[in-house]
């Protein structure tokens, strides 16, 4: 089994201003058939509903066997994922190694 694709989100804000471009970028990467994504949110300090929508859209695009693991979620982003219960859809991990293990399992 190949390694999951690693996507580093380099934007401090994943909001309506950057979400469309980010969505295009990640969609291109998963359209090649990858069903496991390791998403590094270390640089993201703020995320709104548009950013959340991109993540959900990515998961849907990958189909029923798609999986996303998130690393580097700061307190504000983690709280948002928990409040929206998206932490039940995405594996929230403490390190890239842990995320890789989760995605391989």
């Amino acid at each position: 089994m190949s390694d999951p694709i690693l996507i580093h989100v380099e934007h401090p804000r994943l909001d309506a201003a950057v979400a469309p471009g980010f969505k295009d970028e990640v969609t291109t990467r998963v359209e090649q058939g990858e069903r496991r994504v390791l998403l590094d949110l270390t640089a993201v300090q703020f995320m709104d509903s548009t950013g959340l929508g991109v993540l959900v859209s990515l998961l849907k695009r990958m189909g029923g066997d798609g999986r996303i693991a998130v690393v580097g979620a700061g307190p504000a982003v983690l709280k948002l994922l928990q409040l929206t219960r998206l932490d039940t859809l995405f594996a929230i991990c403490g390190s890239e190694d842990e995320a890789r293990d989760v995605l391989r399992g």
Side-chain angles (χ1 to χ4, degrees):
M1 179 182 296
S2 65
D3 282 339
I5 62 171
L6 173 61
I7 298 174
H8 290 279
V9 182
E10 301 297 333
H11 308 282
R13 298 177 61 90
L14 193 49
D15 58 14
V18 299
F22 176 68
K23 182 177 181 179
D24 290 344
E25 175 187 332
V26 296
T27 298
T28 299
R29 296 196 59 190
V30 300
E31 281 180 343
Q32 299 168 358
E34 185 56 65
R35 297 294 175 253
R36 296 170 303 121
V37 172
L38 196 167
L39 193 60
D40 184 344
L41 299 179
T42 302
V44 179
Q45 298 169 7
F46 174 81
M47 185 184 306
D48 68 4
S49 61
T50 311
L52 290 174
V54 170
L55 302 184
V56 171
S57 173
L58 176 62
L59 188 60
K60 286 183 178 182
R61 184 170 291 278
M62 291 189 299
D65 57 342
R67 298 180 69 195
I68 297 175
V70 173
V71 297
V77 173
L78 185 58
K79 184 173 183 174
L80 181 63
L81 292 171
Q82 292 168 338
L83 285 172
T84 57
R85 308 230 346 123
L86 289 177
D87 61 329
T88 62
L89 289 179
F90 309 127
I92 309 300
C93 301
S95 69
E96 283 189 26
D97 288 338
E98 178 188 354
R100 288 180 197 285
D101 288 343
V102 166
L103 291 171
R104 286 186 189 121

